[in-house]
Amino acid sequence: MNVTVRDFRPDDAEAVVRLRRACVPFLITTEEAVLFDVATANPAKKYRLLVAEEAGEIIGTAHVGIAYDSSDPGQASVTPQVHPERRGRGAGSLILRTAEEHLAAHGATSVYAWALDEPSSIAFAERRGYRPTRLAHFQRLDLAGGALPGLPAELPAGVVLRTAAEYAADPRPLFEADAEVTSDEPSDISTGLDDYDDWLNHTWNHPCLDRGLTTVVAVDGQVAAFTLAHTDGATRYLTAMTGTRRAFRGRGLAKLAKTDSLHRARTAGYLDAYTANDGANGPMLAVNRWFGYEICASEIRHVRTLGRRPRRPGEPA
């Protein structure tokens, strides 16, 4: 059978969700979120959601886009995902080539892609000229059966726990906190959150964001720390971002935010909690170990400079 690659269509959403859950079961994905990402993509991102088909069945997919919010021009990303049972048929190579051609046409010079830390995925990336840059870890917590640390009997003076829902009338304080924390995150691609309307569209209004489970720690009325909660509306909860503003670090506020959010998620009936951290983010990895999270998978980010011929096996780098 021949494999073909085309752009996503709305009636593909269910198949794309099934595929992503088979490839990366430790991430949150829903049909509503897939449709939302396509419909609301910033024009500057030049976003495409590609799908690979074989005999009318979707066996692969990839997000493709320019890092428009980076201070470094020419950065882009793509991560092909092919169903574990349908690999070796050329779908990954065809998706990647299609993505690279699209990104190059829009000025990309460097393309970043994540590969699971397993021999076949790493070999796939290396054969296509990608070199490893950094490690990240997915982590899982048994939310239904595991033990959670308790909340303090009394909060420090001036400290208040709130939910994101309480900021519905004016979420700008959360935007400002997210922008500061994101700028300090270790990453290959620098990210500057400086467009409030874009943040509202893609973070605040994201269909997976659960504002009632998103905890905000306020100190003397200021947003000091927060944890953004994504859910699939069924059994899975994901910490999409946890952070503390610089002026409030070293006081355990990130732990407080996450403890409160996890308790809320358990009460709401969620069974599994997931999160992910860069391998160099020692403080958050330590926080998650303290909660009882265990690494369930790892991935390695790779990069390729467009325009360079992929290195042949055995050829010097």
Side-chain angles (χ1 to χ4, degrees), residues 229-247:
H230 279 201
T231 69
D232 65 359
T235 64
R236 293 171 177 241
Y237 159 103
L238 171 77
T239 304
M241 170 65 86
T242 297
T244 305
R245 302 195 74 167
R246 299 181 193 109

Side-chain angles (χ1 to χ4, degrees), residues 103-158:
L103 293 171
H106 289 284
T109 55
S110 296
V111 179
Y112 289 87
W114 288 104
L116 287 175
D117 189 11
E118 58 184 22
S120 61
S121 296
I122 300 304
F124 174 88
E126 290 178 348
R127 286 197 303 270
R128 285 149 187 84
Y130 284 77
R131 60 177 178 81
T133 63
R134 64 193 315 117
L135 180 68
H137 301 295
F138 294 106
Q139 297 138 84
R140 175 186 175 273
L141 174 68
D142 180 359
L143 194 53
L148 287 178
L151 286 163
E154 184 176 347
L155 296 176

Side-chain angles (χ1 to χ4, degrees), residues 159-200:
V159 175
V160 177
L161 291 176
R162 296 174 176 165
T163 69
E166 297 176 60
Y167 291 84
D170 179 19
R172 185 177 285 275
L174 278 179
F175 161 72
E176 293 171 352
D178 193 13
E180 182 176 312
V181 169
T182 297
S183 69
D184 291 341
E185 281 277 291
S187 179
D188 296 303
I189 303 176
S190 62
T191 302
L193 297 183
D194 56 7
D195 187 333
Y196 179 53
D197 289 335
D198 192 58
W199 180 88
L200 285 175

Side-chain angles (χ1 to χ4, degrees), residues 205-230:
N205 292 325
H206 195 281
C208 289
L209 178 66
D210 190 316
R211 298 179 189 174
L213 300 184
T214 293
T215 294
V216 179
V217 180
V219 177
D220 297 328
Q222 299 182 63
V223 173
F226 63 92
T227 189
L228 295 180
H230 279 201

Side-chain angles (χ1 to χ4, degrees), residues 77-97:
S77 63
V78 56
T79 298
Q81 295 169 344
V82 178
H83 194 285
E85 297 177 0
R86 308 299 289 275
R87 293 172 184 166
R89 301 166 186 254
S93 298
L94 186 55
I95 290 175
L96 188 59
R97 184 167 66 249

